[in-house]
Amino acid sequence: MDSTFFMCKPDAVERGLIGEIIARLERRGLVLVRGELRIIDEATAKAHYAEHDGKSFFDDLVSFITRSPVFVAEVAGPKDTWSVVRTMMGATDPAKAAPGTIRGDLAIDIAENLVHGSDSAEAAARELALFFSEQ
Ligand code: IDP
Ligand code: MG
């Protein structure tokens, strides 16, 4: 099995959408290997989103992702799981995300776009280590 890192962001947890979102992944044939509710601290948030440091939305992004619990998860599938999950998430801007995707069906605001998924095999390994290294 091939694992990726996945997160239901604070807006998803606040809106009671964890079950809906994880159910979509499970119906597709992906497996929830582990997952838990957790408040992300500022240092972890900044490390996770380091590629966006310096962008106009960076401070708001760190505030958003740390404001209330997220559901962090390891999700596995047969092959290229990160890519399967990214396709199911839809475009970063939910207003442009295709119907049938998580963002395209359940969100409208680019800042509060419900989910995070690793964008490469390397990112999946890095993010799984960042969030699950102690377990
Ligand atoms: P991704 O989540 O689809 O990989 P990224 O470009 O990596 O998208 O951006 C990370 C997160 O930063 C997005 O999911 C979104 O929450 C936020 N974000 C990205 N672009 C914007 C923007 O233009 N305005 C506000 N927030 C943004
Ligand atoms: Mg990204």
Side-chain angles (χ1 to χ4, degrees), residues 68-85:
S68 62
V70 299
F71 185 79
V72 289
E74 177 178 349
V75 173
K79 185 171 174 270
D80 297 330
T81 308
W82 70 268
S83 179
V84 173
V85 170

Side-chain angles (χ1 to χ4, degrees), residues 116-128:
H116 168 85
S118 308
D119 65 4
S120 67
E122 293 71 27
R126 182 176 67 245
E127 292 171 359
L128 284 169

Side-chain angles (χ1 to χ4, degrees), residues 54-121:
K55 293 183 186 169
S56 58
F57 58 84
F58 184 71
D59 290 348
D60 287 343
L61 178 57
V62 171
S63 296
F64 163 56
I65 211 74
T66 58
R67 80 176 178 207
S68 62
V70 299
F71 185 79
V72 289
E74 177 178 349
V75 173
K79 185 171 174 270
D80 297 330
T81 308
W82 70 268
S83 179
V84 173
V85 170
R86 291 284 300 193
T87 301
M88 294 182 71
M89 287 167 51
T92 300
D93 183 354
K96 296 178 181 144
T101 64
I102 293 166
R103 288 165 168 166
D105 287 348
L106 304 173
I108 198 76
D109 184 336
I110 190 167
E112 309 225 350
N113 58 6
L114 296 177
V115 286
H116 168 85
S118 308
D119 65 4
S120 67

